[in-house]
Amino acid sequence: MRRFLAITALSLLAGAALAQSHSIIGTKHNLSVSGPGPVRAVSEDRVCVFCHTPHGARDVAPLWNRLDSNASYIPYDSPTLNAQPGQPTGSSKLCLSCHDGTIALGDLVSEDMPITMSGTTNMPAGGGLIGTDLRDDHPISFDYMDSWGQSGGELTAPGSWDPHVELDDQGMLQCTTCHDPHHDDWGDFLVLDNAQSLLCRQCHQPFGFDQTPHAMSPRTWNGSGDDPWPHTEYGDVATNACLNCHQSHHAGGQEELVTSDEEEQVCFVCHNGSVATGDLESVFNKTYSHPVTMTKGVHEAGEDPLNMSSHVECVDCHNPHRARNGAAQAPFVSGVLEGVSGIDAGGQAVDEAAYEYEICFKCHTGTVTPPLGTITRKIPSTDLSREFSTASPSFHPVETTGKNAFVPSLISPMTPASMIYCSDCHGNDTPGSGPGSLRGPHGSSYEFMLVREYQTGTEATYNPQSYALCYQCHDESSILNNESFSLHYKHIVEQRTPCSVCHDPHGIDYGEGNATNNAALINFDVDAVDQEPSTLLLEYQSSGPGAGTCTLRCHQKDHVGLTYP
């Protein structure tokens, strides 16, 4: 009998412990004197009374024992939101009667006097204090089904959700869709374990996200720099998933609920070598870089590339929900550039760029061209879409294959039918190799953000390193043996004239150039080449592959109809 009683007692204790772990008793929502959290009553031992009362309750389910806050809330808003949240309603309003911090925790409908709390009156500062400005919190009290219908497939149908995730009776998404105030099995009173963002992904299914490193990478923080995940309990990229960049409450960047209001810092906290392979933050600190730190709060998700304010942020070139490892062949976008908007060769905005140059054209074409260092050309242009256009008299083959079939200097396997990327010339000058290589136009030690040295100006003593950019594709021996042009050696070596003095590396503006005067990328640097005094001409005329006539003044000599070869 004693043994039976002992076993029974142990069973009851075990059952009580299990019940407590799955109930409000062992959570911070137990505000009674027995509560485990830092906020609790001085002497009140009733647990449920802080929210519910069996007698004299308000006419609000479930037997509600608190007054509504009279606060006016600032609802969440974002250009990507297909909803219009207003003032909180339903269960969200009930939650905020504590969590907005405006009503004393012990101020209850059923009590003549507020219950005295230990060390605090209202919700103290910390994660639980939501406040009345809801712009840094996940939107609540909106018609989810209406949003789902407008999401284009990036929100899921409620029928596919785990049963613990529910809308309210009006089809509204509320605090209780994600939080169960009575159970804290998963932390933060979540209704599901959010490892790998399982809870987030009940509703959200960004196209392609499951195939990205942000959803799959096992990489962890190496302890250097700032903790990339101070708002989570998870220790690797895949388990954090959405939480690598987003947080549902107290988000640093309000729009899209990202972790920082400095857009680039959302990326740099991992892409500084502390989590991701390679230190991109240091690359952006090179002398010449895309100025992602120059603007703040200018970028808008879904902005029109044709009418956006001048700026550049990481997400202008990379879609973190789509970016993945994956090579491609010019001119098609590689995996890291998938799902990014652009401007096509015809000047029209495209939701998803198919070609790398379309992403570049968002800033480097038309009226949105930012101020960049340039070489002063006879035909000036900063509109790359006009220079690379198929209508241009000559261009490097970025949009399409080049027009010149006579290019004997090309290094195999390149041929006149080959195409190249903008990033073959513009990018990191120390890219490394392998899966962690830091390629791409982030930053460089060379002017114009070039991947290799490119000598410009005048009077440059010949050094093959000075033309390393050109020699990526063009064979030095072929150039200096005059296989393309009979006086290459004389100009480059003897007269110390850089390639840039005669050749415009992008192409010639199709509205001003022509095939006679601007074949072979000829567009003179007018700081180095001047008009011929007697004719006042500064002119090249092509007479066929590798042949032509110049009338101009160069290297202190006047050329009047000087013919080559």
Side-chain angles (χ1 to χ4, degrees):
M1 174 67 77
R2 290 178 181 175
R3 185 178 181 187
F4 172 78
L5 291 173
I7 292 173
T8 302
L10 287 172
S11 299
L12 289 172
L13 287 171
L18 182 64
Q20 180 165 316
S21 70
H22 289 277
S23 76
I24 195 174
I25 301 296
T27 75
K28 293 180 181 180
H29 278 170
N30 177 3
L31 298 179
S32 76
V33 69
S34 66
V39 179
R40 56 184 180 270
V42 171
S43 60
E44 177 59 59
D45 60 1
R46 292 174 295 171
V47 175
C48 302
V49 72
F50 290 89
C51 292
H52 311 287
T53 180
H55 303 289
R58 290 180 54 207
D59 187 19
V60 177
L63 296 174
W64 197 242
N65 197 24
R66 296 185 59 78
L67 296 173
D68 289 339
S69 171
N70 291 322
S72 177
Y73 299 92
I74 306 174
Y76 174 81
D77 190 27
S78 170
T80 60
L81 181 65
N82 294 311
Q84 295 182 328
Q87 294 298 299
T89 62
S91 62
S92 296
K93 191 161 187 173
L94 305 187
C95 297
L96 286 168
S97 68
C98 278
H99 287 279
D100 73 3
T102 64
I103 299 178
L105 298 172
D107 192 0
L108 309 176
V109 173
S110 65
E111 306 302 304
D112 294 332
M113 296 291 292
I115 294 173
T116 303
M117 308 299 292
S118 175
T120 186
T121 301
N122 294 30
M123 179 68 69
L129 180 60
I130 301 300
T132 59
D133 186 345
L134 307 182
R135 289 175 296 179
D136 60 354
D137 302 287
H138 192 285
I140 53 173
S141 303
F142 67 90
D143 186 334
Y144 179 85
M145 296 304 294
D146 184 55
S147 298
W148 171 67
Q150 299 181 57
S151 71
E154 293 217 333
L155 292 177
T156 64
S160 67
W161 296 353
D162 182 285
H164 293 90
V165 183
E166 298 179 291
L167 302 174
D168 72 8
D169 293 341
Q170 306 301 314
M172 307 291 277
L173 188 143
Q174 305 286 11
C175 299
T176 49
T177 302
C178 297
H179 300 282
D180 181 342
H182 299 114
H183 304 283
D184 195 21
D185 297 344
W186 310 115
D188 296 325
F189 295 92
L190 297 178
V191 297
L192 289 179
D193 181 4
N194 203 27
Q196 298 180 318
S197 295
L198 175 63
L199 178 56
C200 302
R201 291 156 84 172
Q202 295 297 308
C203 298
H204 298 279
Q205 56 173 14
F207 298 131
F209 180 69
D210 288 342
Q211 286 74 52
T212 68
H214 288 149
M216 300 170 62
S217 173
R219 295 193 67 85
T220 60
W221 178 41
N222 66 13
S224 66
D226 294 331
D227 180 357
W229 308 301
H231 56 294
T232 84
E233 297 180 357
Y234 308 124
D236 63 80
V237 174
T239 311
N240 275 291
C242 304
L243 300 181
N244 286 299
C245 302
H246 302 281
Q247 56 190 102
S248 53
H249 295 291
H250 305 294
Q254 295 178 346
E255 290 184 1
E256 300 185 289
L257 299 178
V258 289
T259 54
S260 175
D261 64 346
E262 297 181 27
E263 296 93 338
E264 63 281 351
Q265 292 303 326
V266 178
C267 307
F268 286 165
V269 72
C270 286
H271 290 277
N272 59 3
S274 68
V275 178
T277 303
D279 184 354
L280 267 179
E281 185 173 18
S282 69
V283 177
F284 276 102
N285 286 328
K286 291 190 174 188
T287 306
Y288 304 97
S289 67
H290 270 120
V292 294
T293 61
M294 185 175 291
T295 57
K296 176 179 173 181
V298 176
H299 175 84
E300 292 284 353
E303 62 195 3
D304 180 358
L306 294 171
N307 296 295
M308 65 186 186
S309 301
S310 180
H311 71 277
V312 62
E313 296 292 353
C314 304
V315 289
D316 284 305
C317 299
H318 303 287
N319 181 340
H321 295 150
R322 297 280 295 280
R324 59 180 181 83
N325 298 320
Q329 186 173 3
F332 296 97
V333 296
S334 61
V336 296
L337 301 178
E338 285 189 7
V340 179
S341 65
I343 295 178
D344 66 19
Q348 299 300 308
V350 291
D351 290 336
E352 292 191 15
Y355 310 117
E356 184 191 81
Y357 66 80
E358 293 178 331
I359 298 174
C360 304
F361 283 179
K362 287 199 293 186
C363 291
H364 297 284
T365 185
T367 58
V368 295
T369 302
L372 296 173
T374 58
I375 294 171
T376 307
R377 299 285 178 188
K378 181 183 178 185
I379 298 177
S381 176
T382 55
D383 188 333
L384 296 191
S385 68
R386 296 178 66 88
E387 296 177 14
F388 286 124
S389 170
T390 57
S392 171
S394 59
F395 46 81
H396 262 116
V398 168
E399 273 190 29
T400 187
T401 55
K403 292 186 174 181
N404 186 5
F406 178 70
V407 194
S409 63
L410 287 175
I411 299 171
S412 179
M414 296 195 72
T415 72
S418 298
M419 294 185 65
I420 62 174
Y421 286 119
C422 300
S423 58
D424 286 331
C425 295
H426 298 282
N428 185 8
D429 56 312
T430 53
S433 60
S437 63
L438 302 176
R439 294 188 68 254
H442 304 118
S444 172
S445 301
Y446 297 124
E447 190 177 16
F448 310 117
M449 209 192 314
L450 297 173
V451 298
R452 297 188 182 184
E453 188 173 352
Y454 176 64
Q455 177 71 53
T456 62
T458 59
E459 300 296 321
T461 301
Y462 181 76
N463 180 341
Q465 178 59 34
S466 299
Y467 304 98
L469 182 72
C470 304
Y471 290 155
Q472 288 187 125
C473 300
H474 297 278
D475 180 66
E476 178 189 15
S477 296
S478 175
I479 295 293
L480 298 187
N481 286 332
N482 301 324
E483 293 178 4
S484 308
F485 169 55
S486 62
L487 295 177
H488 259 151
Y489 182 89
K490 181 177 181 63
H491 279 79
I492 297 171
V493 178
E494 295 180 359
Q495 299 294 337
R496 298 183 297 177
T497 305
C499 308
S500 64
V501 167
C502 297
H503 300 288
D504 189 337
H506 294 138
I508 317 302
D509 189 308
Y510 69 82
E512 300 187 54
N514 61 74
T516 299
N517 301 120
N518 303 108
L521 299 174
I522 298 298
N523 186 16
F524 295 109
D525 175 354
V526 296
D527 288 331
V529 181
D530 204 353
Q531 293 177 336
E532 192 283 316
S534 64
T535 62
L536 299 181
L537 292 177
L538 170 56
E539 182 178 81
Y540 165 78
Q541 291 189 337
S542 172
S543 55
T549 299
C550 281
T551 300
L552 46 78
R553 180 173 177 80
C554 185
H555 45 82
Q556 290 79 50
K557 291 185 180 180
D558 295 335
H559 302 330
V560 180
L562 184 61
T563 300
Y564 312 99

